[in-house]
Amino acid sequence: MRHVLALQCIHCGKQHDPGDVDYYCPLCGYHEGILDVLYDYEAVKAEMDPVTFSAGGPRSMWRYLPLLPVAEPERISHLQVGWTPLYRASRLAETLDVADCWVKDEGRNPTASFKDRASAVGVLKAMERGASRITCASTGNAASSLAGFAAAAGLPASIFVPKRAPEAKVAQLLVFGAQVFSVQGTYDQAWELCMAASSHFGWYNRNCAINAYLIEGKKTVALELVEQFRERGAFPDWVVVSVGDGCTIGGVWKGFKEMQRIGWIEKTPKILGVQAAGCQPFVTAWREGKRLTPCEADTLADSIAVGHPRNFVKGLRAVTESGGAYVAVPDQAILEAMTTLARKAAVFGEPAGATGVAGVQEARRQGIIGPDDVVAVIVTGNGLKDIASAIRAAGLPVPVDPALDAVRRVASP
Amino acid sequence: MRHVLALQCIHCGKQHDPGDVDYYCPLCGYHEGILDVLYDYEAVKAEMDPVTFSAGGPRSMWRYLPLLPVAEPERISHLQVGWTPLYRASRLAETLDVADCWVKDEGRNPTASFKDRASAVGVLKAMERGASRITCASTGNAASSLAGFAAAAGLPASIFVPKRAPEAKVAQLLVFGAQVFSVQGTYDQAWELCMAASSHFGWYNRNCAINAYLIEGKKTVALELVEQFRERGAFPDWVVVSVGDGCTIGGVWKGFKEMQRIGWIEKTPKILGVQAAGCQPFVTAWREGKRLTPCEADTLADSIAVGHPRNFVKGLRAVTESGGAYVAVPDQAILEAMTTLARKAAVFGEPAGATGVAGVQEARRQGIIGPDDVVAVIVTGNGLKDIASAIRAAGLPVPVDPALDAVRRVASP
């Protein structure tokens, strides 16, 4: 961690030595005491000069090593994570009525979601700490990416899932060899049990909200956007991302701020946070009073169905500091966005992945985004992760008898 | 098509001008008259010098443009296809008892399978021909990749599926906006109807066996392997691939032969073709008499469940010319290979994708592959494409009550 200066509590402001704390500020506890990794930005700048940097480095998130909290780079996974494609999607821009639209396809990561960036760092930190095992509570992308990166490192993983977890998502964890505990209770009980087990057994805890290092992996998507846009000679007015517990949008914003700080960009983009209408604590807080009111989660976009976001402060700051906005979109708009994204940009996203596209439409409707604006949408997960929703979004095939005449009667021109 | 000299019939040997024929040799018909694209290899060599080439070019299959049948490169899709990761998998090598094992993860392509390489070329050729629509008959990776690349190009697509096609696979086609005909009959009837419709409406036909250009896309995986191995200072004794209709293995072999011809490699690797025990026409032909006997297909590895392979000649030649071998593996071994591949190399493959790993085990057992051999396995598709098989392969989670004591009783050390 050559350039890491300290871990600073976002609640009390105290700076801790990385050797002294494991996860959160001991003074403020894990609900409030979320830490932020501080770097020596002058030293980083010397190694990441915008003019000379682009040519070299691996085509993965690890090209940004000077800005990552890595002590033992020789432990970096063989899995190629990050440096996902950035597509210019002109036909999508037309549909959304914006000047230009770019799509960052995070579904191309090793286990097919954005969360791989965080798990890559989480497993690496566990190895550096000499952990015997890594753990998390999740049935979603955090769990599958953890299982994949743990398998890559040969590090045992224990994952806590609620008993209602879909069989298919559990299967993926088991294929990677994780020990999966099916907790006979709610998701909250699975989460608390994971915390207790982590503490009792000394298992390394991969939970983005209480582990400051994971957001460092997430921010790399912003570093990449800055570099990829520089290559294309463009830059977005808005960066759009769906929001669950606030870690992802918080990471995105941290990445842009750091790139500004080391001289890559003069101006940061505005951040548009998009939530499902059935679960919009950030939207409510941003619109009405800036305080968190936890809610029930009722949306098919499971990856962002978080009624009690654990990284509320960072998630809200991303929008307020950037001069951005929060919007909410109904599930029907999310399903329609899945087909719009697939048909106009050829990217198949899971519901939470396509939510950003629906968010751009809503922000246009509200006049938040204008027709002359350039937007970049981060598609956070692959549509193959949730085939049930794809079936709901897709419509039906045309039945035909096996005869050319039958086709002639119904074929599109 | 700067360097394309002719399309040569593999049956009668006659060379055709690419402007004169659309799909197959008009003298031999589409069952026998499969064409091969011939290049001016001296001209190609001048543009693909092994010493100077590596530095430049896009990180996609299109870096090999001098060896591709492309007339209008400005029509190349925005989707980033090819240049997939090549991983060195030491723990997998140990398990397989070989000197070294490399994994080429084709599940990282845009629609998550190897078939994207072929569809990328197919859609491009359709656009060059000014086609109004492109068609195929399939429920598998060929169809989903066609739907994706057609969406990227804004080219309408019509896909014929048998009425028994799984809802989930059909949904993916519909999400991309393809018109999907559910043919009230068998797969063979769907295939014949597609051929008739293509001919009647003038729709461009994306069928690998009767369209010589598609295998040109497929061969790029071999070009990449040669270049990526050169970067790593290694080279495999065996390249291993699962086999259905013979187009993929035929493409792989063509790629290696061409790289030999233009001076990148002195010696080609041996090719190991792997089939499911429940559908092994190539294995039978190779072992017993070199003639094709079509069979029923009975295997869970649906992507290679082809009882009547349409590219038999090229598929058999790949093995005989390379000095390789064909082996068959039972479905149970394929399921076990899925977990072995995921746990030892952190790559989640669909059954046909993991079949190559089972094939290495079988070839070791038969003494075909030795303990000092270096193998490279092409994983042809992502495990997310077939969650039902993953569930069969994965085992079960451990039920626990929501209490630490319950975890303590069952947790791995």
Side-chain angles (χ1 to χ4, degrees):
Chain A
M1 314 221 288
R2 283 176 302 143
H3 303 320
V4 173
L5 294 178
L7 303 178
Q8 181 171 36
C9 175
I10 64 170
H11 189 66
C12 72
K14 184 168 164 53
Q15 295 188 6
H16 301 276
D17 185 291
D20 295 341
V21 293
D22 272 332
Y23 303 114
Y24 46 84
C25 174
L27 307 174
C28 300
Y30 71 74
H31 284 300
E32 313 246 53
I34 291 174
L35 300 174
D36 213 13
V37 183
L38 299 185
Y39 296 83
D40 174 351
Y41 291 102
E42 287 309 309
V44 171
K45 197 171 174 175
E47 286 187 44
M48 280 182 61
D49 179 85
V51 177
T52 58
F53 181 77
S54 300
R59 296 273 171 152
S60 74
M61 63 179 260
W62 303 112
R63 63 197 280 106
Y64 305 110
L65 214 45
L67 260 180
L68 286 169
V70 174
E72 301 173 14
E74 65 277 13
R75 291 188 182 276
I76 287 174
S77 172
H78 69 269
L79 292 177
Q80 192 177 304
V81 54
W83 201 258
T84 54
L86 175 67
Y87 298 135
R88 184 176 191 168
S90 309
R91 282 159 46 225
L92 183 57
E94 261 175 55
T95 303
L96 300 177
D97 188 24
V98 292
D100 217 340
C101 181
W102 299 77
V103 173
K104 179 77 169 161
D105 186 4
E106 288 294 302
R108 295 289 291 279
N109 277 304
T111 77
S113 89
F114 175 78
K115 295 288 174 75
D116 283 338
R117 297 177 186 269
S119 289
V121 172
V123 169
L124 183 61
K125 295 313 290 180
M127 300 294 284
E128 288 180 0
R129 296 282 172 98
S132 61
R133 186 169 281 270
I134 189 167
T135 188
C136 79
S138 163
T139 63
N141 293 330
S144 51
S145 71
L146 176 61
F149 277 83
L155 178 69
S158 290
I159 297 171
F160 292 82
V161 306
K163 70 174 176 202
R164 284 178 185 281
E167 197 184 21
K169 297 208 168 186
V170 173
Q172 201 185 349
L173 312 179
L174 290 163
V175 167
F176 279 124
Q179 182 175 44
V180 181
F181 294 114
S182 173
V183 179
Q184 306 301 298
T186 64
Y187 176 77
D188 278 341
Q189 286 177 302
W191 200 85
E192 292 297 342
L193 191 54
C194 172
M195 293 295 286
S198 163
S199 166
H200 176 79
F201 295 105
W203 297 344
Y204 193 77
N205 195 329
R206 182 246 182 268
N207 185 314
C208 203
I210 64 132
N211 186 324
Y213 295 120
L214 295 182
I215 213 169
E216 298 301 299
K218 291 189 168 190
K219 80 181 180 191
T220 59
V221 73
L223 312 186
E224 276 179 31
L225 281 168
V226 169
E227 190 177 357
Q228 289 177 324
F229 272 116
R230 175 182 284 251
E231 285 178 359
R232 312 288 187 89
F235 199 72
D237 301 296
W238 290 87
V239 169
V240 185
V241 64
S242 58
V243 179
D245 70 0
C247 290
T248 295
I249 195 170
V252 168
W253 179 234
K254 188 177 193 219
F256 283 115
K257 277 194 300 185
E258 290 185 337
M259 287 304 254
Q260 185 184 40
R261 186 136 179 199
I262 64 170
W264 279 70
I265 47 175
E266 286 189 16
K267 201 168 150 269
T268 52
K270 287 172 270 196
I271 309 292
L272 181 71
V274 188
Q275 296 209 284
C279 182
Q280 47 171 310
F282 279 105
V283 183
T284 308
W286 180 73
R287 200 184 278 147
E288 291 168 16
K290 319 281 177 188
R291 290 178 62 184
L292 172 64
T293 315
C295 64
E296 292 295 304
D298 177 20
T299 170
L300 60 80
D302 62 299
S303 303
I304 53 169
V306 183
H308 189 153
R310 303 205 179 247
N311 219 334
F312 180 72
V313 175
K314 287 188 185 176
L316 198 62
R317 267 189 201 163
V319 164
T320 51
E321 289 185 6
S322 73
Y326 263 109
V327 295
V329 293
D331 279 6
Q332 188 54 39
I334 293 173
L335 290 174
E336 284 165 19
M338 284 177 70
T339 57
T340 303
L341 178 63
R343 292 169 191 185
K344 302 295 182 181
V347 171
F348 180 27
E350 66 169 341
T355 295
V357 170
V360 173
Q361 290 177 303
E362 179 59 27
R364 277 291 291 118
R365 208 168 291 131
Q366 294 186 25
I368 294 169
I369 291 179
D372 297 331
D373 283 343
V374 174
V375 303
V377 180
I378 301 173
V379 177
T380 48
N382 198 306
L384 291 171
K385 295 224 167 205
D386 183 359
I387 285 295
S389 292
I391 290 170
R392 287 180 62 179
L396 290 168
V398 183
V400 292
D401 288 326
L404 187 56
D405 271 353
V407 177
R408 289 173 62 179
R409 277 194 294 274
V410 293
S412 304
Chain B
M1 313 224 287
R2 282 175 305 143
H3 303 320
V4 174
L5 293 177
L7 302 178
Q8 182 171 36
C9 176
I10 64 169
H11 189 66
C12 73
K14 183 167 164 56
Q15 294 189 7
H16 301 276
D17 185 291
D20 295 342
V21 294
D22 272 330
Y23 303 113
Y24 46 84
C25 173
L27 307 172
C28 300
Y30 71 73
H31 285 301
E32 312 245 54
I34 291 174
L35 300 173
D36 213 12
V37 182
L38 300 183
Y39 296 83
D40 175 350
Y41 290 103
E42 287 309 309
V44 171
K45 197 171 173 174
E47 287 186 43
M48 279 181 62
D49 180 83
V51 178
T52 57
F53 181 77
S54 300
R59 296 273 172 150
S60 75
M61 62 179 261
W62 303 113
R63 63 197 280 107
Y64 306 110
L65 214 45
L67 260 181
L68 286 170
V70 174
E72 301 173 14
E74 65 278 12
R75 291 187 182 277
I76 286 174
S77 172
H78 69 270
L79 292 177
Q80 192 178 305
V81 54
W83 202 257
T84 54
L86 175 66
Y87 298 135
R88 184 175 192 169
S90 309
R91 281 158 47 222
L92 183 57
E94 261 174 55
T95 303
L96 300 177
D97 188 24
V98 292
D100 217 339
C101 181
W102 298 77
V103 173
K104 179 78 169 160
D105 186 4
E106 289 293 303
R108 297 288 291 277
N109 276 304
T111 77
S113 90
F114 176 78
K115 295 288 173 75
D116 283 338
R117 296 178 186 268
S119 289
V121 173
V123 169
L124 182 62
K125 296 312 290 180
M127 299 295 283
E128 288 180 1
R129 296 284 171 97
S132 62
R133 186 170 282 270
I134 189 165
T135 188
C136 78
S138 164
T139 63
N141 292 330
S144 51
S145 71
L146 176 61
F149 277 83
L155 177 69
S158 289
I159 296 171
F160 293 81
V161 305
K163 70 174 176 201
R164 284 179 185 280
E167 200 185 20
K169 298 208 167 185
V170 172
Q172 200 185 349
L173 312 178
L174 291 163
V175 167
F176 279 124
Q179 182 174 45
V180 181
F181 294 115
S182 172
V183 179
Q184 307 300 299
T186 64
Y187 176 77
D188 277 343
Q189 286 177 302
W191 200 87
E192 293 296 342
L193 192 54
C194 173
M195 293 294 286
S198 163
S199 166
H200 176 79
F201 295 106
W203 297 343
Y204 192 77
N205 196 329
R206 183 247 182 267
N207 185 314
C208 203
I210 64 132
N211 186 326
Y213 295 120
L214 295 183
I215 212 170
E216 298 301 300
K218 291 189 168 191
K219 80 180 180 193
T220 58
V221 72
L223 312 185
E224 277 178 31
L225 280 169
V226 169
E227 191 177 357
Q228 289 175 324
F229 273 116
R230 174 181 285 252
E231 286 178 359
R232 313 288 187 91
F235 200 71
D237 300 296
W238 290 88
V239 169
V240 184
V241 64
S242 57
V243 179
D245 71 359
C247 289
T248 295
I249 194 170
V252 167
W253 178 234
K254 188 177 194 220
F256 283 115
K257 277 193 302 184
E258 289 186 338
M259 287 304 253
Q260 184 184 40
R261 187 137 179 199
I262 63 171
W264 279 69
I265 46 175
E266 286 189 16
K267 200 167 151 270
T268 52
K270 287 173 270 198
I271 309 291
L272 181 71
V274 188
Q275 296 210 283
C279 181
Q280 46 172 311
F282 278 105
V283 183
T284 308
W286 180 72
R287 199 184 280 147
E288 292 168 15
K290 320 280 176 188
R291 290 178 62 185
L292 171 64
T293 314
C295 64
E296 292 296 304
D298 178 20
T299 170
L300 61 80
D302 63 299
S303 303
I304 53 169
V306 183
H308 188 154
R310 303 205 179 249
N311 219 334
F312 179 73
V313 174
K314 288 188 184 177
L316 198 62
R317 268 189 199 163
V319 164
T320 51
E321 288 185 6
S322 73
Y326 264 109
V327 295
V329 292
D331 279 5
Q332 188 54 39
I334 293 174
L335 289 174
E336 284 165 18
M338 284 176 71
T339 57
T340 302
L341 177 63
R343 292 170 191 184
K344 301 295 181 181
V347 171
F348 180 28
E350 66 169 342
T355 294
V357 171
V360 173
Q361 290 176 304
E362 179 59 27
R364 277 291 292 118
R365 207 168 293 131
Q366 294 185 26
I368 294 168
I369 290 179
D372 296 331
D373 284 344
V374 174
V375 304
V377 180
I378 300 173
V379 177
T380 48
N382 198 306
L384 291 171
K385 295 222 165 206
D386 184 357
I387 284 294
S389 292
I391 290 171
R392 287 180 62 180
L396 290 170
V398 183
V400 290
D401 287 327
L404 187 57
D405 270 353
V407 177
R408 289 173 63 178
R409 278 194 294 275
V410 293
S412 304

